[in-house]
Amino acid sequence: MLVTSDKTASPRPRAVRSALPWVTTASRLVLGGVLIVAGWGKIGTPVLSVQAVKAYDLLPESLATVVGYGLPIMEIVVGVLLVVGLLTRVAGVISALLMLAFVIGIASAWARGLRIDCGCFGGGGQLAAGVEPSYLVDILRDFGLFALGVVIAWFPPGRFALDSVLGVTSARESDPYDTDDTDDTDDAEGDGIEGDDGEPLQKENH
């Protein structure tokens, strides 16, 4: 009596597994770089940063002042964490929430008919005479950056990350893409099926 096994493995393509760590790494560098540039453009003129936050007319004045002073520092710190890959998933979550807040704030200003500059890279939120708001461009940009934050938070930190060097992530988390495609095949070959006489049956694959 012969038992035929038609079990076939369907692993993810090797090319996809190889590309995923680099996608996460590129997402870290792009989002981290944008945050550093944005924070650096505001940290030298915190008064303008406060004015930009107040221009949205969403927060009480006292809270808007705190956010205006603290936002550039947060952007730079989170950006550096992303670039070096330290506390990567936490930084990814924070950056994603930050970008989502920007999208909501800009959309709100657009819906209420305000004519302001987003103040994302500096400035006091005031538009020069004759300049129209670029709300749609700002929203699309920040939503794209939000998507990068989600990728960073969802997947392991990728290549050249301090998290992996310091052991903050496990070996499995640091490189989950390197799966052994032969595990299922080996298990299948190692499973013995006994016949009525207690002797293992020979398997044939067709």
Side-chain angles (χ1 to χ4, degrees):
M1 179 178 178
L2 298 178
V3 177
T4 302
S5 174
D6 294 328
K7 182 178 180 181
T8 58
S10 57
R12 287 185 296 176
R14 185 174 299 275
V16 174
R17 297 201 310 271
S18 300
L20 278 174
W22 293 107
V23 170
T24 309
T25 303
S27 300
R28 279 175 32 223
L29 295 177
V30 171
L31 182 52
V34 170
L35 286 173
I36 292 172
V37 171
W40 192 261
K42 294 192 284 280
I43 199 167
T45 54
V47 174
L48 293 180
S49 177
V50 172
Q51 290 179 1
V53 175
K54 290 182 178 179
Y56 284 89
D57 197 21
L58 287 173
L59 301 175
E61 186 171 350
S62 58
L63 182 57
T65 300
V66 173
V67 172
Y69 278 109
L71 183 59
I73 300 174
M74 177 184 291
E75 288 175 331
I76 293 174
V77 170
V78 173
V80 170
L81 290 176
L82 289 174
V83 169
V84 301
L86 182 62
L87 301 176
T88 310
R89 281 179 165 164
V90 175
V93 170
I94 294 174
S95 60
L97 293 176
L98 197 59
M99 293 303 162
L100 184 59
F102 290 159
V103 169
I104 293 173
I106 295 170
S108 174
W110 193 3
R112 287 177 292 144
L114 299 180
R115 297 184 69 260
I116 62 174
D117 180 80
C118 74
C120 302
F121 297 93
Q126 301 300 321
L127 289 172
V131 177
E132 293 297 322
S134 56
Y135 292 136
L136 181 58
V137 174
D138 294 335
I139 289 174
L140 292 177
R141 179 199 62 222
D142 288 347
F143 190 80
L145 295 173
F146 163 77
L148 295 183
V150 172
V151 169
I152 295 166
W154 186 263
F155 292 103
R159 308 302 185 191
F160 313 116
L162 285 181
D163 281 345
S164 300
V165 175
L166 299 176
V168 177
T169 57
S170 65
R172 176 64 179 167
E173 286 180 323
S174 62
D175 193 6
Y177 322 97
D178 188 17
T179 56
D180 186 357
D181 295 343
T182 62
D183 287 348
D184 292 340
T185 304
D186 293 342
D187 291 343
E189 292 177 351
D191 291 339
I193 302 178
E194 296 182 353
D196 295 336
D197 57 358
E199 294 295 327
L201 298 178
Q202 183 180 1
K203 296 183 180 180
E204 287 185 358
N205 293 327
H206 298 286

